Amino acid sequence: MTERGNAVGTGDQRELLREKIIHEQSRLGPRDTFRFRCHPGVSCFNTCCSDVNIFLSPYDVLRLKKRLGITSTEFLEKYALLPVQRDMTTPVVLLRMGEDETKNCQFLTEEGCGVYSDRPWPCRMYPVGLATSRDTEDGWRGDRFFFLLEEEGCMGHQEPKEWTIQEWLDDQEVDAYDEWGEAYKELSLHKFFEEGNELTPAKMEMFFNATYDLDKFREFVFGSTLLDRFDVDEQFIHEMELDDEALLRFGVLWVRFALFGEPTMKVKPQAAAEVQEKLEKRVLSSKSGPSMSPREEAS
Ligand code: SF4
Ligand code: SF4
């Protein structure tokens, strides 16, 4: 099994992988060049879409479930794996491979990727990897740099087509993926975790729903008193009803407010005392003990 994607992962795995990349890989910048082309004529065509760990970001899930015309809940049940490990601070979501002996990606067709224009970020980026060094004062906002991945048996590297890194990124249309990837990384590497706090199972579920399971989060937002208690722009509320990206934007603000205690949401004056009381309970429960479920928090 191989790995693709470095945006998320469990704490120790992510740290080990990053250290290895930082010390062993040549750092590339946007103008550096490499040779690569993947097309149906290469002898290895389609062989790399089997038995591979592909980490999915919330935006990958958003794009794929929209592409397939299903809810995020259905997508996560059918196409994702949610490994649970002891050192996990935030949710980890992997693309689920087929369960037969080929272990092919469920989106693989004879012609190649069946969801090509909505394929996940790691599939777009290959053979370019992205890493962030940890050598700056604020801990994780280190230098971003690119490196080249050369999977064994990948004949694309023998092709004459030359790219600069920037040309490759433009060709693969990764801008929106990068933007959302950074937003998610800011959550998953938040100082809340560096300070030794942990999410209780109920809070982990809230984090997961507000970022990955947007259809469930929409039910929470519109089926609770949340919008009565917080001052949210009417236009934004309307957008959230229909548009998953708007909802994800709200989900990020909600996680920052409800789990990390940042002032990203404005409380309506009449609800101030009630919200303050819930926040105080939340601060206490992030240190130890059980917490309210998302549904209870909304009540
Ligand atoms: S999503 Fe597409 S490119 Fe990615 S592993 Fe599956 S078939 Fe391959
Ligand atoms: S192994 Fe490389 S060249 Fe072959 S199909 Fe995969 S990405 Fe393309």
Short mmCIF file of all heavy atoms in Angstrom, two decimals, residues 36 38 42 44-48 126 154-156, ligand 2:
data_model
loop_
_atom_site.label_atom_id
_atom_site.label_comp_id
_atom_site.label_asym_id
_atom_site.label_seq_id
_atom_site.Cartn_x
_atom_site.Cartn_y
_atom_site.Cartn_z
N PHE A 36 7.23 14.93 -16.59
CA PHE A 36 6.18 13.99 -16.21
C PHE A 36 5.02 14.08 -17.20
O PHE A 36 4.67 15.16 -17.69
CB PHE A 36 5.64 14.31 -14.80
CG PHE A 36 4.60 13.35 -14.32
CD1 PHE A 36 4.97 12.10 -13.83
CD2 PHE A 36 3.25 13.66 -14.36
CE1 PHE A 36 4.02 11.19 -13.39
CE2 PHE A 36 2.29 12.77 -13.93
CZ PHE A 36 2.68 11.53 -13.44
N CYS A 38 1.20 11.70 -17.56
CA CYS A 38 0.40 10.49 -17.32
C CYS A 38 -0.68 10.44 -18.40
O CYS A 38 -1.43 11.40 -18.56
CB CYS A 38 -0.23 10.58 -15.93
SG CYS A 38 -1.31 9.17 -15.59
N VAL A 42 0.84 5.07 -21.32
CA VAL A 42 1.94 4.57 -20.47
C VAL A 42 1.62 3.14 -20.00
O VAL A 42 0.46 2.81 -19.76
CB VAL A 42 2.22 5.48 -19.23
CG1 VAL A 42 2.85 6.80 -19.64
CG2 VAL A 42 0.95 5.73 -18.43
N CYS A 44 2.01 1.66 -17.33
CA CYS A 44 1.51 1.53 -15.95
C CYS A 44 0.12 2.14 -15.78
O CYS A 44 -0.37 2.24 -14.65
CB CYS A 44 2.48 2.24 -15.01
SG CYS A 44 2.78 3.95 -15.50
N PHE A 45 -0.52 2.54 -16.88
CA PHE A 45 -1.77 3.31 -16.77
C PHE A 45 -2.76 2.63 -15.82
O PHE A 45 -3.03 1.42 -15.95
CB PHE A 45 -2.40 3.52 -18.15
CG PHE A 45 -3.55 4.51 -18.11
CD1 PHE A 45 -3.33 5.81 -17.68
CD2 PHE A 45 -4.83 4.13 -18.49
CE1 PHE A 45 -4.38 6.73 -17.63
CE2 PHE A 45 -5.88 5.04 -18.44
CZ PHE A 45 -5.65 6.34 -18.00
N ASN A 46 -3.30 3.39 -14.90
CA ASN A 46 -4.31 2.95 -13.93
C ASN A 46 -3.77 2.09 -12.78
O ASN A 46 -4.54 1.77 -11.87
CB ASN A 46 -5.45 2.17 -14.60
CG ASN A 46 -6.55 3.11 -15.08
OD1 ASN A 46 -6.51 4.30 -14.82
ND2 ASN A 46 -7.52 2.57 -15.80
N THR A 47 -2.48 1.71 -12.83
CA THR A 47 -2.01 0.79 -11.78
C THR A 47 -1.85 1.47 -10.42
O THR A 47 -1.79 0.79 -9.40
CB THR A 47 -0.65 0.16 -12.15
OG1 THR A 47 0.27 1.23 -12.41
CG2 THR A 47 -0.76 -0.74 -13.37
N CYS A 48 -1.77 2.81 -10.42
CA CYS A 48 -1.50 3.49 -9.14
C CYS A 48 -2.79 3.84 -8.38
O CYS A 48 -2.72 4.46 -7.32
CB CYS A 48 -0.66 4.73 -9.36
SG CYS A 48 -1.44 5.89 -10.47
N TYR A 126 -0.11 14.67 -7.41
CA TYR A 126 0.93 13.71 -7.78
C TYR A 126 1.45 14.01 -9.18
O TYR A 126 0.65 14.20 -10.09
CB TYR A 126 0.40 12.27 -7.72
CG TYR A 126 1.50 11.28 -8.06
CD1 TYR A 126 2.40 10.85 -7.10
CD2 TYR A 126 1.66 10.83 -9.37
CE1 TYR A 126 3.44 9.99 -7.43
CE2 TYR A 126 2.70 9.98 -9.70
CZ TYR A 126 3.59 9.57 -8.73
OH TYR A 126 4.62 8.74 -9.06
N CYS A 154 6.24 4.03 -11.73
CA CYS A 154 5.51 5.13 -12.39
C CYS A 154 6.32 5.57 -13.62
O CYS A 154 7.38 6.18 -13.49
CB CYS A 154 5.31 6.30 -11.43
SG CYS A 154 4.54 7.72 -12.24
N MET A 155 5.79 5.25 -14.80
CA MET A 155 6.51 5.54 -16.04
C MET A 155 6.35 6.99 -16.49
O MET A 155 7.01 7.44 -17.42
CB MET A 155 6.03 4.60 -17.16
CG MET A 155 6.13 3.12 -16.83
SD MET A 155 7.79 2.66 -16.28
CE MET A 155 8.67 2.75 -17.82
N GLY A 156 5.44 7.70 -15.84
CA GLY A 156 5.21 9.09 -16.22
C GLY A 156 6.47 9.94 -16.14
O GLY A 156 6.61 10.93 -16.87
S1 SF4 B 2 1.88 5.17 -12.18
FE1 SF4 B 2 2.34 7.26 -12.84
S2 SF4 B 2 2.22 7.30 -15.07
FE2 SF4 B 2 1.33 5.37 -14.36
S3 SF4 B 2 -0.84 5.82 -14.26
FE3 SF4 B 2 -0.04 6.27 -12.24
S4 SF4 B 2 0.54 8.42 -12.26
FE4 SF4 B 2 0.21 7.77 -14.39
#
